Amino acid sequence: FIEYLFYPIFHFFWSFILNLKAKILFFLWNLKKREFFEISNNNQLEISNNKDFKEIADKIYQEVIQIKEKAKNKLLNTNYENELKQHIDELPKNAKKYIFNKANSELPYFISLYEDLSPNLKKSIVSFASSEKMITTASKYMKIFPMLTIIQVILNIPREGSGPRSGMLWHKDGQGFKCLDFFMNVSDVDENNGPFFYLNKKIRAGVFKSFDYTMFKSGERNKVKSEDFDIKFQNSNQNELKGEKGTGVFLDTFSTFHKGGFCKSKDRILLRFCYQSHDALCD
């Protein structure tokens, strides 16, 4: 019922009614032939050795290494952990707690660096994210004209005495029907600094299907432990975003399970963009 009746009906409603203006813009935008990356039938595409990706990754990396230690020291400072916990307690019950939640505030393991970048670098990042090729890639996949809703440069660090939690557990993002995320390594990534994982298997109408969740801690609701996930999906269906800086992947995070990497002994720097529709709730 979900796959062959409900999903097609909802897809039509989402495309031609809920996002009618974006659908019209999609047709107008694609009247001109433009370059784009073709997303596979698995709703994902991993890319390495791309000149443009490497160029922007190098720009970000060269600036980030100047501010990384300060950000890392902030993460390791117990005062920062206490500030996060206090901030959570002060939030109203109906507030969105994507970053400020209990799982993230205990031994904090990531921090946003984007706000501390220079205006020139921010401009370069926005130009890259909104370039014709990137926008066309998102529009071709979503079949509507996309909105660029998220730009992040994130530092992840190993924390002694901690294990995978929060975004490092298998999950799907947000509340929406269709999106396209772009994740790119800004630092070289191997098994020691937490490669990003994603399911290399398309689940038809996957946005409407999920696990029987058993985790209820703030920040871990709707998350799946690796041991439970592995029972359903073996390692052959799980890809890791490893490689030199500039290695990236396009992924529909609303319908595809994924998890952030668990840094074992080295830091990781990651760039993320998200292209969504106006009806989606950003994550």
Side-chain angles (χ1 to χ4, degrees):
F1 172 78
I2 291 176
E3 292 181 15
Y4 298 103
L5 185 60
F6 181 78
Y7 183 88
I9 292 173
F10 189 88
H11 190 279
F12 179 86
F13 170 78
W14 180 83
S15 298
F16 290 94
I17 299 176
L18 199 57
N19 288 286
L20 178 59
K21 290 183 179 179
K23 192 69 171 180
I24 294 171
L25 288 174
F26 164 76
F27 287 126
L28 294 175
W29 177 260
N30 287 287
L31 286 175
K32 178 182 176 181
K33 189 175 182 180
R34 307 173 192 267
E35 290 187 11
F36 65 98
F37 298 103
E38 187 169 358
I39 309 300
S40 71
N41 290 330
N42 281 3
N43 296 345
Q44 60 201 232
L45 176 66
E46 186 170 323
I47 297 174
S48 58
N49 299 318
N50 180 279
K51 180 182 177 182
D52 294 332
F53 290 7
K54 286 187 174 184
E55 182 178 321
I56 192 66
D58 282 334
K59 282 184 179 181
I60 299 171
Y61 183 78
Q62 292 304 318
E63 189 164 311
V64 163
I65 58 175
Q66 307 297 323
I67 62 174
K68 188 181 78 166
E69 287 307 312
K70 182 179 179 181
K72 189 173 179 178
N73 289 336
K74 182 178 180 179
L75 271 174
L76 295 172
N77 192 313
T78 54
N79 289 333
Y80 179 68
E81 182 174 342
N82 292 332
E83 287 175 11
L84 288 179
K85 291 178 179 178
Q86 182 180 357
H87 188 83
I88 294 166
D89 293 335
E90 293 174 352
L91 286 173
K93 290 184 177 181
N94 62 343
K96 296 182 177 66
K97 301 180 181 180
Y98 297 128
I99 295 178
F100 300 108
N101 58 59
K102 290 182 179 179
N104 288 336
S105 64
E106 296 172 359
L107 294 177
Y109 62 92
F110 75 91
I111 192 168
S112 172
L113 301 176
Y114 183 80
E115 295 77 9
D116 298 321
L117 300 179
S118 67
N120 285 339
L121 182 55
K122 288 181 181 177
K123 183 178 179 180
S124 295
I125 294 173
V126 171
S127 294
F128 174 66
S130 57
S131 64
E132 183 175 290
K133 192 168 186 177
M134 296 291 282
I135 293 295
T136 305
T137 297
S139 75
K140 289 286 189 181
Y141 172 74
M142 297 174 66
K143 304 301 182 187
I144 63 170
F145 194 81
M147 297 171 57
L148 176 61
T149 57
I150 296 174
I151 298 180
Q152 294 176 321
V153 177
I154 302 170
L155 170 67
N156 287 68
I157 67 170
R159 294 301 307 262
E160 186 176 351
S162 69
R165 61 199 186 280
S166 189
M168 294 185 283
L169 302 175
W170 287 102
H171 65 281
K172 292 185 291 186
D173 284 343
Q175 299 179 39
F177 178 67
K178 207 170 187 180
C179 73
L180 190 65
D181 266 88
F182 176 70
F183 298 92
M184 186 179 72
N185 295 333
V186 174
S187 56
D188 295 345
V189 173
D190 57 29
E191 64 276 2
N192 291 313
N193 55 345
F196 174 82
F197 284 78
Y198 58 96
L199 186 65
N200 183 27
K201 180 179 181 180
K202 182 174 182 178
I203 302 175
R204 186 176 173 86
V207 68
F208 296 119
K209 298 178 181 179
S210 205
F211 276 72
D212 292 327
Y213 297 113
T214 59
M215 304 181 68
F216 302 101
K217 182 179 180 180
S218 173
E220 294 185 348
R221 298 184 184 95
N222 300 332
K223 304 292 195 299
V224 184
K225 293 180 180 178
S226 292
E227 52 266 34
D228 296 329
F229 194 81
D230 292 344
I231 295 174
K232 182 69 175 178
F233 301 106
Q234 301 302 316
N235 290 337
S236 59
N237 295 129
Q238 301 173 19
N239 278 9
E240 303 173 71
L241 188 64
K242 294 194 293 188
E244 297 180 350
K245 57 179 178 286
T247 303
V249 63
F250 291 98
L251 182 74
D252 186 339
T253 55
F254 285 167
S255 61
T256 304
F257 274 97
H258 59 283
K259 64 177 181 176
F262 172 62
C263 298
K264 297 177 182 178
S265 60
K266 296 192 295 185
D267 304 335
R268 183 193 70 178
I269 306 166
L270 187 75
L271 173 68
R272 180 194 179 192
F273 304 143
C274 189
Y275 304 92
Q276 299 181 345
S277 56
H278 74 91
D279 57 290
L281 297 179
C282 299
D283 199 353

